[in-house]
Structures are given as structure tokens and as C-alpha cells.
Amino acid sequence: MIRAEDLMLYENQLLEQGYKYICGVDEVGRGPLAGPVTCSAVIMPLDDLIQGVNDSKKVSKGKREKLYELITQKAIAVSTVSYDREKIDEMNILNATKACMSDAIMALPVKPDIVIVDAIKLDIPYKTFGIIHGDALSYSIASASIVAKVTRDRYMTHMAEMYPEYDFEHNMGYGTAKHIAALKERGKCPLHRESFIGKILGNK
């Protein structure tokens, strides 16, 4: 199992350069056909690491839930913002993701000294440090990815109660065979991204 210390290479370099409040930011939900894109920004204490933190895609659901509670309890600052499908359709998913990330960072109750981001350029008044595949390489980004993933999954599970035919509690809005079949049979619901489903419904 990967240790939290193994994800501290970049944070340790930044700490040595004198940065104190290091923010990690990540997003979940760029690819689904339905639901929001959710972005979390966290500033974690780097002298009291949480073991088990890793890229949210590499952590089981049950473990993610436990880590979410630990991260949100221990965080120096944490902020989560979601952009709904209306904003995604209006702005396109890349621009919506950038704006959502920026909003999450700006909403932090503690100002970061530097922001570590997964190789996306953001328009924010803070110095940024880009890391490709950062959610698998940075403790701070991995922590943010877990907060974002659990937040969005909880929302989509709740939405599954309103729209049970689309199986959102299992696919989280992604285009599984069952989801696409329901979309073709029943049409869209208010969570579906118009800019994503046109080809499936034969509108484009």
C-alpha cells in the first residue's frame, strides 16, 4: 500500500522553499453525461499525514468515505464547489471546470501561499504549481480528489432517488450501457448535459 509520505515529494520541495499553506485542488465529473462537475480545494497540515490518502479512483468507496471524514476534520481549510449542467452546457466542460476550481480556491477561509493543480491553468491571484497526474503524485491534490469524489457521489446517489430509471447510484452519471439504454428509452432528465447527450439521442 502506498504511504502518505510517498505523495509528499512536491509538498516537501515547496515547504523547503518557504511555502506554508499549500493548497491542493482537484475535480470530479468532467466526463459524465449527467450531473455536476465538482471541485475541491484543501489546505492540509503536512506534519500530521492521513495514511491511506491516494488518488480517489484508486480507493474503494468505503475507504473514501472514511478518508473524507478524516480529511475534512483535519484540514486547515477546505472548500467544495459544484457547477451544474446548465453552467457546463453554457461554458463547455473545460471552462466550467477551470471556473469551478477557481471558485473553490477563492472560497477557502485561509489564503493559500501556493496552489498545486493537476496541470490546468487557472486565473487566480495565487502562484500555481502544475503536476501532470497530480492526484496520484501529490498528497494535497489526492486529498482534494477524495473530498470532491465523495461530495459528488453523495449528490448523485441522492438524485438517483428522484430519477431511479437512470441508475445514477451506480454509474454516477457516467455513460454505462444501462444508463444509455434508459436515456434512449425515456429521454433526458434535468441532470443530463445537453452538450454531451446530443449524439446519443440523435440530435446532432
Side-chain angles (χ1 to χ4, degrees):
M1 186 182 87
I2 192 167
R3 302 177 307 148
E5 290 81 3
D6 297 330
L7 299 177
M8 283 290 294
L9 174 63
Y10 296 101
E11 279 85 349
N12 285 334
Q13 290 176 359
L14 294 172
L15 288 169
E16 289 174 4
Q17 294 173 35
Y19 296 103
K20 181 180 179 183
Y21 293 130
I22 299 171
C23 168
V25 61
D26 202 20
E27 54 73 26
V28 174
R30 284 178 71 175
L33 303 178
V37 61
T38 298
C39 301
S40 292
V42 299
I43 301 174
M44 299 299 295
L46 300 178
D47 57 354
D48 185 18
L49 303 180
I50 301 170
Q51 293 301 328
V53 167
N54 199 353
D55 174 3
S56 62
K57 296 185 291 295
K58 300 178 180 178
V59 181
S60 68
K61 179 180 178 181
K63 190 171 182 181
R64 278 198 306 266
E65 290 280 349
K66 293 177 182 177
L67 288 170
Y68 172 92
E69 298 301 332
L70 290 172
I71 291 166
T72 53
Q73 288 168 16
K74 279 195 174 187
I76 295 168
V78 59
S79 170
T80 301
V81 173
S82 290
Y83 271 29
D84 60 20
R85 72 97 183 158
E86 287 89 350
K87 285 188 176 181
I88 292 169
D89 285 336
E90 177 186 347
M91 302 174 69
N92 80 48
I93 187 59
L94 178 58
N95 288 331
T97 299
K98 289 180 177 180
C100 186
M101 280 185 163
S102 298
D103 285 354
I105 295 163
M106 297 306 295
L108 285 168
V110 176
K111 291 184 178 181
D113 296 319
I114 192 167
V115 175
I116 307 179
V117 61
D118 193 349
I120 291 179
K121 291 185 179 180
L122 302 176
D123 183 18
I124 53 174
Y126 303 116
K127 186 172 182 180
T128 58
F129 184 73
I131 306 173
I132 297 174
H133 302 308
D135 48 7
L137 299 172
S138 160
Y139 176 80
S140 301
I141 295 180
S143 297
S145 78
I146 289 170
V147 174
K149 174 70 173 166
V150 172
T151 300
R152 188 181 186 279
D153 283 2
R154 287 177 178 178
Y155 173 78
M156 293 304 293
T157 300
H158 177 64
M159 288 296 100
E161 298 174 9
M162 297 179 63
Y163 308 105
E165 60 270 30
Y166 301 104
D167 198 36
F168 287 150
E169 70 271 30
H170 296 115
N171 60 51
M172 301 305 162
Y174 284 87
T176 62
K178 186 174 181 179
H179 182 186
I180 291 172
L183 188 57
K184 289 179 176 179
E185 179 182 348
R186 297 174 178 268
K188 65 186 180 181
C189 80
L191 294 182
H192 282 106
R193 303 172 182 178
E194 299 278 0
S195 52
F196 280 56
I197 65 171
K199 291 182 179 179
I200 294 172
L201 298 180
N203 297 335
K204 293 182 180 179

